[in-house]
Amino acid sequence: MSSTKSISMERPTTAARRRLTLTNTQFSIMLLLPALLTLAFTVLYPLLRGIYLSFHSYSLVDLASGIQWVGLDNFKTLLSSSAYRSVWGTTLIFVAGSVGGQFVVGFLTALVLNQDLAQRNLFRGLLLMPWIVPTVVAALLWKWIFNQQYGIFNYVLHSLGLISSFKAWIGDPSLALFSVTLANIWKGFPFHMIVLLAALQTIPPDIVEAAIIDGATALQRFRYVVLPYLRYIIMIDLLISIIWTFQSFTTIWTMTEGGPVTATTTLAISIYRTAFQAFDIGMGAAIGTIWLVAMLIFSVVFVRLFGGTRVEV
Amino acid sequence: MNDRIRILTILLVVGALVASFFTSGAAPSPQEEPIVIRFAGWIGMEESTAKQFNYMVEKFQEKHPNVKIEYEGIAWENTRQQLLMEAAAGNAPDAAQVAAPWIGQFAYSGAIEPLEEMAKDFAADYVPGVVESYTFPGADGVAHMWGLPWVAVHDTLFYNTALMQKAGLDPKKLPSTIEEFEQVVYAIAKLGKDEKGNRIWGYTTATDRSELTANVFNAWLFNFGGDVLDENGKVIINNEAGVKALTFWKKLVDDGVMPAGFSFRDQYNLMANYQTGGFSDGSYARDVLRITSGKGKEFDKDFAVALHPTTLPNPEDPCQHKAIFHHHTLVLFKQSQHKDMAFEFIKFLSTDPEITLYYAQGSSLFPLYKPALADPFYSQDAFAKTFQDALCGAKLYGISKTPQYAQAVDFIAIAVTQALSGGDPKQALDEAAANLKVLYKQMD
């Protein structure tokens, strides 16, 4: 149907036709308008407002002063702060550990579940459980697992002789980041598993069979058939997962509130503490704006690096 | 698709949206509607106090049939941000329950109403020191009374007398000084493990990166003669007394008497399961323990309360046993459309003898209004009496009167967690002091 085709009421007058005639494009736009307006109010406006606030001083404990222009002051303060740089370091370790761990575990389980196993559907369902469990429930669960007094983690490791005394897994600054990362790996790996399993199932069996006939080993088939075929899926999977993990708040906040000391203070925790505990909305917005710009640059570079040219199979 | 149907579809969608927008805002005439007072706080959300609050609301509405109290439940930990966000958005409740340490942030925000005029007829009848603590300059630089004291929340030490007996100690002889406290908690920690193999600690408190860690530590700081700010607002947390207090905590952790990295709520489980010799808390903890233990009032025989142990001279004087107070406090918002009635409601909650007695008997939260405290219940109940005795040593610490309270407690909590996880107490407090000096613009 042509997008310029006109529609009109039956037997319209000339004036009425001018008022009521709509092209299909106009009609489509009108139908989309409520959704677009909703998105503008819920996504675009907060985004622009956040960027706007990052150039201002605005504190909820000083409402009388209102919003005051401070130019780049918030950014200068952040970039000269060692605490802020440390937050980036913690965030990068958390993201790398979480996404790396989730991807490896997810990929391995996807490869296993792609085999012709007995009770395959049952295992697929069971392995999805961590993903289905609400994040706050999973975080509380892990908080108990890591509990120094009652936690099963200590009990198991101690029983196996791997530790001599019960450790404060989320109370010790040297262990806390590892612990929240482990919890996040458990929570997030099924996403990778399901995405990669779906992708694995799109690989035509005849290609794999051809590789077998050509004498390719399992490792060679994985390296030269499976991986190139999954390249774009892996790229999207990792990109989404990295962005999500950067945003991860609930797990860390529920388990450690960013502590002990500042051991698990990531960007998301830092923004919350700055904007909603210290009530420095301007500074919180500045942290968010730098983060937004960093993620945009990262996404472009990531897609350019790993996107490349599509391999036709 | 038929063109007429397409246009009708658009008209229907737009019509429905417009109709829903206007009907949701439709209201009966003001004459038919009662005065609605929106009251926010955590009281109605917690098992130990919800029933009492509903009763108080019911009683107030009986007295004022044209008033409807609308309750907005906010979890304790979200109260500050939610109320300040609502105020910033022009949607503050009429009145709210806040904790005393947050009063400075509300005062400086400009969101709450000064109460000295409205409360002038009865403000002098609160226990000494509390109203004075709530009276300080806000954003306008003029001293105002910012809140009505509601119920007392200040720490004493809860001792597990069952474990004291097990450790060969006399459960009737509770510690008064730091030395006596050490003897008790070390003896209990020596019990090692319970029959299920769980570790028994001598003393447990919040030692994670939280506001409560900072607040509990500050009570100890006071009892070592220290403070965060002196009377002129100068940062002194890293003075000799401060270092002594944090070194004492660190020693308890290093000696396996106190766990590090525990959250405030962990102490209730440990106490209820006979795995800690004691903890610091307000009077409401009695009801929390009754609920957590599953034993109800039966659990009361297994613990006792005493004033906070002190290093200060004349420990026989109850006022030498310091505590930080977190009294539940009632504030009135400037945006309230019914200030007089909202104030009437918070005055009722704070001062009505029948209501405060009912609340105290049901929740172990005791009023701060002297005429209400005249009821014999408060002097006959040994538990209540200990908390009454502890009131004279309780104070609101200086940072609570500043808008930088949240950042300040975070610096303190970071210093505590740093020292307890292997750091040097002096260095941790020096870092906290440096951060606090930047925060309070006291750079040398």
Side-chain angles (χ1 to χ4, degrees):
Chain A
M1 195 185 285
S2 163
S3 63
T4 54
K5 185 183 167 191
S6 297
I7 52 173
S8 61
M9 300 275 286
E10 283 176 31
R11 291 191 295 278
T13 62
T14 312
R17 177 176 294 183
R18 214 172 288 129
R19 280 199 310 274
L20 298 173
T21 302
L22 289 173
T23 65
N24 276 352
T25 310
Q26 287 168 332
F27 179 68
S28 307
I29 289 172
M30 287 198 71
L31 286 181
L32 283 172
L33 208 56
L36 290 175
L37 284 173
T38 308
L39 275 178
F41 275 112
T42 57
V43 178
L44 192 62
Y45 173 72
L47 183 73
L48 296 176
R49 179 79 174 165
I51 295 170
Y52 167 82
L53 285 173
S54 68
F55 294 97
H56 292 79
S57 163
Y58 179 40
S59 170
L60 292 186
V61 286
D62 185 11
L63 294 174
S65 297
I67 301 173
Q68 292 175 330
W69 170 259
V70 292
L72 294 171
D73 282 4
N74 288 334
F75 296 99
K76 284 179 191 165
T77 306
L78 284 175
L79 296 173
S80 62
S81 156
S82 59
Y84 175 68
R85 288 195 292 274
S86 160
V87 166
W88 265 101
T90 306
T91 308
L92 292 175
I93 294 169
F94 175 69
V95 171
S98 293
V99 176
Q102 287 170 1
F103 181 76
V104 170
V105 177
F107 207 163
L108 288 175
T109 46
L111 287 169
V112 172
L113 291 178
N114 196 40
Q115 306 304 309
D116 198 11
L117 299 171
Q119 301 297 326
R120 187 166 64 168
N121 288 336
L122 176 71
F123 286 119
R124 282 179 186 174
L126 285 176
L127 286 165
L128 264 181
M129 287 298 281
W131 182 250
I132 296 164
V133 172
T135 309
V136 70
V137 175
L140 285 170
L141 185 76
W142 277 95
K143 194 174 176 179
W144 277 105
I145 288 172
F146 286 130
N147 185 290
Q148 189 180 356
Q149 186 82 0
Y150 307 106
I152 196 166
F153 200 66
N154 267 326
Y155 177 77
V156 170
L157 295 183
H158 192 260
S159 303
L160 294 172
L162 296 173
I163 53 172
S164 56
S165 62
F166 282 16
K167 306 276 183 200
W169 292 100
I170 54 174
D172 181 337
S174 63
L175 299 172
L177 187 57
F178 163 78
S179 305
V180 293
T181 304
L182 188 62
N184 206 43
I185 289 171
W186 179 84
K187 177 77 183 81
F189 88 87
F191 169 75
H192 299 264
M193 180 191 80
I194 210 73
V195 167
L196 295 169
L197 179 61
L200 283 169
Q201 292 183 344
T202 64
I203 300 175
D206 49 338
I207 292 177
V208 181
E209 281 163 20
I212 293 169
I213 292 165
D214 288 345
T217 63
L219 202 63
Q220 284 170 327
R221 288 201 300 276
F222 179 73
R223 168 71 185 82
Y224 297 106
V225 178
V226 175
L227 274 186
Y229 213 92
L230 299 186
R231 181 177 171 182
Y232 293 97
I233 297 292
I234 290 173
M235 182 191 74
I236 297 296
D237 173 53
L238 286 177
L239 187 61
I240 290 172
S241 178
I242 288 168
I243 292 170
W244 278 350
T245 311
F246 260 94
Q247 295 167 349
S248 181
F249 174 82
T250 313
T251 304
I252 301 176
W253 187 257
T254 308
M255 289 177 72
T256 63
E257 296 187 19
V261 196
T262 53
T264 57
T265 303
T266 58
L267 283 166
I269 299 289
S270 179
I271 286 184
Y272 182 76
R273 280 196 173 274
T274 307
F276 299 109
Q277 290 210 316
F279 304 114
D280 190 345
I281 304 292
M283 191 64 79
I287 300 174
T289 302
I290 296 177
W291 177 4
L292 174 73
V293 172
M295 288 315 295
L296 283 174
I297 294 169
F298 167 78
S299 302
V300 170
V301 171
F302 188 84
V303 171
R304 292 232 167 159
L305 276 178
F306 296 100
T309 313
R310 177 175 281 277
V311 177
E312 295 298 335
V313 183
Chain B
M1 195 193 289
N2 183 302
D3 293 346
R4 189 179 288 179
I5 293 174
R6 290 185 185 207
I7 289 173
L8 269 174
T9 308
I10 293 169
L11 290 173
L12 276 173
V13 169
V14 172
L17 284 171
V18 170
S20 68
F21 179 78
F22 283 104
T23 51
S24 65
S29 67
Q31 291 91 330
E32 297 165 13
E33 201 170 273
I35 296 171
V36 176
I37 301 295
R38 185 154 63 96
F39 178 81
W42 60 88
I43 180 173
M45 296 189 73
E46 298 189 355
E47 192 183 342
S48 54
T49 54
K51 186 182 147 202
Q52 280 76 29
F53 181 64
N54 292 336
Y55 177 80
M56 294 178 215
V57 168
E58 201 178 295
K59 286 288 167 190
F60 183 78
Q61 289 179 162
E62 273 174 22
K63 278 190 175 178
H64 302 272
N66 63 328
V67 177
K68 180 174 172 11
I69 303 297
E70 193 178 274
Y71 173 62
E72 179 189 346
I74 309 176
W76 178 86
E77 55 271 31
N78 298 331
T79 306
R80 268 178 304 160
Q81 58 262 48
Q82 190 153 332
L83 290 176
L84 287 169
M85 291 295 282
E86 287 179 3
N91 187 33
D94 295 281
Q97 170 191 28
V98 302
W102 310 333
I103 195 91
Q105 291 188 306
F106 284 101
Y108 277 88
S109 74
I112 57 172
E113 191 73 29
L115 299 179
E116 60 272 12
E117 268 305 307
M118 291 170 139
K120 65 183 175 198
D121 294 338
F122 61 96
D125 294 331
Y126 285 98
V127 295
V130 182
V131 168
E132 291 81 349
S133 296
Y134 292 169
T135 306
F136 55 88
D140 62 357
V142 180
H144 295 291
M145 175 183 169
W146 295 109
L148 279 192
W150 188 4
V151 288
V153 180
H154 53 296
D155 291 355
T156 65
L157 259 287
F158 283 67
Y159 291 96
N160 193 317
T161 47
L163 285 181
M164 282 180 75
Q165 270 182 311
K166 206 172 169 185
L169 301 163
D170 180 358
K172 286 186 180 144
K173 206 177 164 196
L174 299 177
S176 173
T177 63
I178 296 285
E179 291 75 22
E180 290 165 5
F181 172 81
E182 270 186 294
Q183 285 166 14
V184 168
V185 296
Y186 273 78
I188 291 173
K190 267 191 189 159
L191 291 170
K193 292 184 176 178
D194 64 12
E195 56 281 0
K196 290 177 187 162
N198 294 305
R199 176 84 171 263
I200 296 173
W201 302 95
Y203 171 72
T204 308
T205 191
T207 42
D208 56 353
R209 183 184 169 184
S210 68
E211 179 185 356
L212 291 168
T213 294
N215 289 347
V216 177
F217 173 70
N218 274 293
W220 286 89
L221 189 60
F222 296 160
N223 284 291
F224 274 86
D227 208 329
V228 182
L229 307 176
D230 67 11
E231 61 277 9
N232 300 315
K234 194 165 168 271
V235 175
I236 55 163
I237 192 171
N238 57 337
N239 66 12
E240 195 185 339
V243 175
K244 270 188 185 168
L246 191 51
T247 305
F248 176 72
W249 266 33
K250 184 176 166 55
K251 186 170 175 294
L252 292 180
V253 169
D254 291 348
D255 292 345
V257 174
M258 178 170 106
F262 273 39
S263 73
F264 194 71
R265 292 189 193 278
D266 286 333
Q267 66 191 16
Y268 303 124
N269 288 326
L270 295 179
M271 187 76 165
N273 289 298
Y274 304 93
Q275 290 163 17
T276 188
F279 65 95
S280 307
D281 210 343
S283 55
Y284 64 90
R286 173 165 72 174
D287 283 70
V288 179
L289 289 175
R290 286 172 178 174
I291 294 167
T292 309
S293 67
K295 293 182 176 177
K297 288 182 179 174
E298 183 64 16
F299 191 73
D300 291 3
K301 68 177 172 44
D302 288 338
F303 72 88
V305 289
L307 302 180
H308 203 293
T310 186
T311 66
L312 301 177
N314 307 321
E316 61 283 356
D317 176 3
C319 303
Q320 291 295 79
H321 298 262
K322 304 297 179 189
I324 173 174
F325 72 62
H326 312 232
H327 300 333
H328 295 178
T329 304
L330 299 160
V331 293
L332 184 67
F333 279 85
K334 279 186 178 162
Q335 288 165 15
S336 170
Q337 298 296 308
H338 307 286
K339 285 196 184 81
D340 288 341
M341 190 49 76
F343 182 76
E344 196 58 33
F345 179 58
I346 60 176
K347 181 186 169 192
F348 172 78
L349 294 177
S350 170
T351 63
D352 185 276
E354 187 220 324
I355 286 300
T356 49
L357 180 64
Y358 177 80
Y359 192 17
Q361 287 174 332
S363 66
S364 301
L365 283 161
F366 309 121
L368 290 154
Y369 190 59
K370 282 190 289 184
L373 283 167
D375 191 282
F377 167 77
Y378 301 103
S379 49
Q380 287 166 3
D381 178 341
F383 181 83
K385 190 175 178 315
T386 304
F387 279 91
Q388 298 306 313
D389 290 346
L391 267 175
C392 71
K395 64 173 181 174
L396 190 67
Y397 61 153
I399 59 171
S400 294
K401 297 177 187 177
T402 71
Q404 297 95 335
Y405 169 78
Q407 296 103 307
V409 288
D410 194 34
F411 291 141
I412 298 165
I414 286 174
V416 171
T417 53
Q418 198 174 331
L420 299 190
S421 52
D424 174 51
K426 172 88 173 82
Q427 193 185 336
L429 288 175
D430 283 346
E431 281 173 26
N435 286 324
L436 287 165
K437 282 178 181 171
V438 173
L439 191 65
Y440 288 110
K441 299 181 174 61
Q442 296 176 11
M443 298 305 290
D444 298 325

